[in-house]
Amino acid sequence: MRKKSVGKLLILLSLVWLIIGSVPVQDGSVYAQDDVQLYLGQPDISAFPQVAVPLRAIDAQGAPVSDLSRLSLRENGIPLEYELTTVPLGLDITFVIDANTTIETDDSGNTITRREKVIESISQFAGQYMDANGQDRISVMVPDEGGEHGRFFIQDNLNPVPFAQAITAYKPKILNDTPLNEMLSLAIQRAAQAEDGRFPAVMLYTDGGQLAQQLDYAALVEQAQAAGIPIYAAILGAEADANEIDNISRLVAPTGGAYVHMPNADDADPIFQVWQTEANQTRIVYQSLQIENGRYPITINLGSAHAATELVLDLAAPEVSIQLPQTEFVRSGDAFDTPLAELEPTTIEVPVLIGWPDGVERPLTAVALLTGGPDGQTNTIVEAQPDEEGWIRLAWDVQSLREGGYELAVKVADSLGYEADSTPVQVILRLERPQPPTPTPQPTPTPGTAVPQPVPIVSTRRLVGALGLSLLAGLVAVVLLWRRWRRSEGVKGSRGEDVAGADNLPPANSPLANLQTRLLAALEDEQTAVLLPLVGDNVTIGRDEAAAQLVLDDKSVGRLHARIRWRDGRYWLYDEGSSGGTMLNFDRLGLAPRPLQDGDQIQMGRLRFYFRLGVEFEEEE
């Protein structure tokens, strides 16, 4: 009787200590500082240089310690300031049922067996302590039918209702000896695979009497310690003797777990209450001082208790890639004379994917879109951060760009100073406008009337190259005869003499003034000129008859190269996105048009012109 009384007293004291330990520790609470056990998890560097280290501090009864005010932290031997945070992450529990011949024993004579009490205990956990939103993941390990291996009766259940229903259906085949060592090893392996930071643990229901013969304590404890898995236990039966308590203590104490004696189903509740606290993970958060890759020790101390882990840095530059759905883009207008700046679209989206090969996502401090094309290279600096999936969507401004090929690349820099460049992508930009309307037929010239020549015309360079010097000589002769006829009508040269009919010219600010406006096209020898009429107040110039009213048949001229337009009482010269550009008095036009004055020199490709306002230019003989 004395032996049983001592055993009951030890069990009672254990339960009292466990229940006390599950209550948050306040100043003045009695517990031995030297009995505190500290456990550190793997550092989380996803927000580096901020580091978060999971911390578990328990007392001698396996209950969480809440007073951590005297905790100290060192990184690579240097004391650092820190903050303690709590993160609700949930549980990952594996119940192990030792279904030996004692499992159907009725200890109290009330027709309730140990198996039924185990089922009731697990069901009570599901109903009162398990998270209803699927934050806890629960499994149940039992012996297989042959008694040689363990098997999962329930695995990875997240919903307490079907879990409670499933466990009530458990009816084991009674075995003399269960493969408990293998079952516990499998349960530890399963708990070591806990995801999303859940608190992992193994809970063993057993009578405890034969554990010394069934278990390889050293191997199981080493396996649990290496994985950071605490083992808890409930001793079944009306009483728990010293042998059973010793058998259980050798398993749970070195792993940071605890045990209870469970003559009734609700006697395991103190362990479930501890789990509820452990489901809210405590983390030590601090700013790392490390700037280079390597391995750095992290140590903590609380009184005489201490623990250590290691910060492993293997940082790398981000990965950057342009993910264009196509490599050819078209800008278009509604009218054949739509200005370059009004073509749509004016911007093109450039999707960029940012990846982190080291797994450490961090802010970007700079993002640049590099564009190379006909006008050289431009760099567009933007402020942008990738979304949750790593995408940045940049806007490429194409409003002033000419038709042609372009090379796109993206350069980024992150908060740790790493830089990365994407692989360049080649794209083509095309300009499209509707076909111009069919030109009105020109009247047939009559004697004494100068009628502008119809367009399109061909360039003098192409003319000389195709027909030779003889055709050029004929052209010069025609020009000279025509000038002589004009003189006979009273038209003088440009030396200030009277010009017949000058009083009949339209006012300079009249749109009709373009009927008297000419482009003087210089031939190769620049000794002879051909007059090109501008018919209308908006004349397009280019190589393609379908796109231009004034056609210049020379490969150096774009299909739609430029335009001359009457606006606000004067003529304006526009460049229409030509690859070779349009020069006005040796200056290249940009996106904005420039006004024309009498005598201005215009160059398109290899061809040179002189703008004359009012009457045609005549050279001296």
Side-chain angles (χ1 to χ4, degrees):
M1 292 294 294
R2 179 174 297 179
K3 182 178 181 180
K4 290 186 177 180
S5 298
V6 172
K8 288 183 178 180
L9 180 60
L10 290 173
I11 295 171
L12 180 60
L13 288 174
S14 297
L15 286 172
V16 169
W17 274 109
L18 181 60
I19 293 172
I20 292 175
S22 66
V23 178
V25 179
Q26 306 294 332
D27 292 341
S29 298
V30 179
Y31 70 97
Q33 186 69 58
D34 292 342
D35 292 334
V36 172
Q37 297 181 50
L38 301 176
Y39 299 89
L40 291 179
Q42 182 65 35
D44 178 4
I45 60 172
S46 59
F48 191 83
Q50 178 177 281
V51 179
V53 186
L55 166 67
R56 184 168 180 251
I58 59 173
D59 61 19
Q61 287 69 47
V65 175
S66 61
D67 183 8
L68 301 174
S69 59
R70 292 186 292 167
L71 187 74
S72 63
L73 167 72
R74 290 176 180 266
E75 180 192 68
N76 205 29
I78 301 176
L80 296 177
E81 295 184 355
Y82 63 87
E83 293 181 357
L84 291 176
T85 63
T86 301
V87 182
L89 298 176
L91 303 171
D92 197 315
I93 307 297
T94 301
F95 292 98
V96 179
I97 302 176
D98 182 10
N100 57 33
T101 54
T102 67
I103 195 73
E104 293 294 349
T105 302
D106 178 5
D107 298 304
S108 57
N110 56 5
T111 70
I112 300 178
T113 66
R114 294 179 180 181
R115 175 183 60 84
E116 291 171 328
K117 292 176 182 177
V118 170
I119 291 175
E120 183 180 350
S121 173
I122 297 176
S123 298
Q124 193 162 301
F125 164 78
Q128 297 184 18
Y129 300 97
M130 189 173 173
D131 183 75
N133 298 316
Q135 197 167 15
D136 300 333
R137 185 170 64 179
I138 312 300
S139 302
V140 177
M141 171 76 68
V142 299
D144 66 352
E145 295 296 325
E148 297 180 358
H149 307 284
R151 69 181 179 91
F152 284 103
F153 180 72
I154 300 173
Q155 186 172 8
D156 298 341
N157 189 286
L158 301 173
N159 193 321
V161 175
F163 174 72
Q165 294 172 346
I167 193 62
T168 58
Y170 175 58
K171 294 181 179 180
K173 180 180 179 179
I174 306 304
L175 302 171
N176 290 327
D177 295 311
T178 59
L180 193 57
N181 195 83
E182 183 181 14
M183 292 167 62
L184 285 171
S185 180
L186 291 174
I188 294 171
Q189 290 179 31
R190 174 66 196 85
Q193 299 172 5
E195 299 176 349
D196 302 326
R198 293 185 176 97
F199 172 71
V202 173
M203 174 69 167
L204 171 63
Y205 290 94
T206 181
D207 60 77
Q210 303 300 316
L211 294 186
Q213 291 75 39
Q214 292 176 284
L215 303 182
D216 182 348
Y217 280 108
L220 288 174
V221 168
E222 182 180 1
Q223 181 185 1
Q225 288 178 338
I229 308 300
I231 300 177
Y232 297 82
I235 303 176
L236 306 178
E239 296 182 356
D241 60 32
N243 176 60
E244 294 169 346
I245 293 175
D246 182 65
N247 288 343
I248 288 295
S249 297
R250 290 173 61 188
L251 185 65
V252 302
T255 64
Y259 73 90
V260 293
H261 174 219
M262 196 185 86
N264 299 301
D266 56 2
D267 289 331
D269 284 7
I271 289 179
F272 301 156
Q273 293 166 7
V274 170
W275 289 352
Q276 271 194 324
T277 303
E278 297 284 13
N280 299 304
Q281 185 184 85
T282 299
R283 294 184 174 185
I284 304 174
V285 180
Y286 71 95
Q287 294 292 319
S288 175
L289 300 180
Q290 310 311 318
I291 59 175
E292 296 182 356
N293 290 337
R295 309 177 77 92
Y296 306 95
I298 300 173
T299 59
I300 61 169
N301 292 276
L302 182 61
S304 60
H306 68 277
T309 186
E310 192 174 49
L311 173 65
V312 179
L313 294 182
D314 188 16
L315 303 174
E319 294 178 343
V320 188
S321 60
I322 298 175
Q323 302 287 327
L324 283 172
Q326 61 197 67
T327 57
E328 184 169 327
F329 300 91
V330 176
R331 299 187 63 212
S332 59
D334 295 334
F336 74 94
D337 58 350
T338 302
L340 176 65
E342 298 177 13
L343 297 178
E344 294 290 342
T346 57
T347 60
I348 294 175
E349 183 180 84
V350 180
V352 179
L353 184 60
I354 307 295
W356 305 96
D358 54 16
V360 182
E361 298 184 14
R362 46 199 181 265
L364 297 179
T365 56
V367 179
L369 177 62
L370 314 180
T371 308
D375 293 327
Q377 180 164 310
T378 59
N379 299 341
T380 303
I381 308 298
V382 298
E383 293 184 2
Q385 297 295 331
D387 61 20
E388 294 181 355
E389 297 179 351
W391 289 100
I392 298 177
R393 305 189 184 277
L394 303 178
W396 178 27
D397 185 359
V398 296
Q399 187 175 19
S400 62
L401 298 186
R402 309 171 190 275
E403 184 173 84
Y406 291 83
E407 181 179 89
L408 303 182
V410 174
K411 185 181 184 68
V412 301
D414 64 28
S415 59
L416 298 181
Y418 287 92
E419 296 183 351
D421 299 275
S422 71
T423 300
V425 175
Q426 306 294 328
V427 299
I428 297 175
L429 188 63
R430 299 194 183 280
L431 308 179
E432 289 187 357
R433 297 176 176 87
Q435 296 292 336
T438 303
T440 303
Q442 298 296 314
T444 303
T446 57
T449 303
V451 178
Q453 297 298 316
V455 293
I457 68 169
V458 296
S459 70
T460 58
R461 182 182 299 273
R462 176 70 174 269
L463 192 61
V464 171
L467 301 180
L469 294 177
S470 59
L471 183 58
L472 178 61
L475 179 61
V476 171
V478 170
V479 171
L480 292 176
L481 290 174
W482 183 74
R483 287 178 178 171
R484 181 171 298 177
W485 173 78
R486 289 286 290 170
R487 289 194 186 96
S488 67
E489 297 295 318
V491 180
K492 302 298 182 181
S494 58
R495 290 172 292 180
E497 301 177 44
D498 294 337
V499 178
D503 294 337
N504 297 324
L505 291 175
N509 61 354
S510 168
L512 296 179
N514 56 29
L515 295 179
Q516 299 295 329
T517 303
R518 303 288 187 269
L519 283 178
L520 187 67
L523 297 180
E524 254 181 23
D525 57 8
E526 298 190 357
Q527 301 300 315
T528 312
V530 176
L531 294 173
L532 309 180
L534 301 180
V535 180
D537 59 359
N538 191 356
V539 178
T540 54
I541 306 170
R543 188 182 70 248
D544 191 345
E545 294 183 10
Q549 296 166 294
L550 184 58
V551 179
L552 306 175
D553 192 5
D554 190 284
K555 291 182 179 180
S556 67
V557 177
R559 57 184 298 271
L560 178 57
H561 197 111
R563 76 175 62 233
I564 295 177
R565 185 176 181 182
W566 173 270
R567 180 167 60 86
D568 299 331
R570 62 196 313 178
Y571 285 97
W572 297 78
L573 178 63
Y574 294 75
D575 181 81
E576 290 298 314
S578 61
S579 60
T582 301
M583 308 293 288
L584 177 60
N585 297 327
F586 304 103
D587 291 332
R588 183 165 181 166
L589 265 67
L591 176 62
R594 290 175 57 183
L596 288 171
Q597 297 181 3
D598 187 38
D600 279 348
Q601 178 180 302
I602 301 170
Q603 186 164 344
M604 304 178 196
R606 293 188 296 260
L607 305 184
R608 187 184 307 163
F609 306 90
Y610 297 92
F611 179 77
R612 298 311 306 262
L613 186 64
V615 297
E616 62 271 24
F617 174 82
E618 292 191 55
E619 295 183 315
E620 298 182 7
E621 293 185 352

